[in-house]
Amino acid sequence: MLVCTLLEDVAVLENLDAILSVPGIDLYSIGPNDFAQSLGYPGQPDHPEVVKTMEEITNRIRRAGRTMQLDVMQGARVSDMLLAAGRRIPSL
């Protein structure tokens, strides 16, 4: 079983230390659209303030030695890309 916490509200900023102290959480993820809405930028997950705040949260999570879902998914995409490239190499 893999436990992922989805952070979607501005309240995360005040409660992140408490959230990080919960045992058994494997991954953390931020829901950009809901998070943007809670910051007052509905429909603007790419707004500079939203991006900056999500980066701050991500950095705090990583400094705490925890893993973001993005970290795992990027690794999975790289693995898939390498496997796909290997299938295209003609055998000799």
Side-chain angles (χ1 to χ4, degrees), residues 5 9 13 16-17 21 29 35 43 52 57 59 62 65-66 72 74 79 83 87 89 91:
T5 299
D9 192 271
L13 296 170
L16 187 56
D17 291 334
S21 72
S29 183
F35 197 77
K52 176 184 164 207
I57 291 169
N59 291 335
R62 288 178 177 149
R66 301 302 193 97
V72 174
Q74 283 178 341
S79 294
L83 288 171
R87 285 189 212 100
I89 297 174
S91 58

Side-chain angles (χ1 to χ4, degrees), residues 4-18:
C4 181
T5 299
L6 185 55
L7 310 170
E8 295 188 313
D9 192 271
V10 71
V12 166
L13 296 170
E14 294 179 18
N15 298 300
L16 187 56
D17 291 334

Side-chain angles (χ1 to χ4, degrees), residues 59-79:
N59 291 335
R60 284 178 62 190
I61 290 169
R62 288 178 177 149
R63 279 195 306 270
R66 301 302 193 97
T67 304
M68 292 293 294
Q69 180 183 8
L70 178 63
D71 300 330
V72 174
M73 296 310 294
Q74 283 178 341
R77 282 192 285 274
V78 169
S79 294

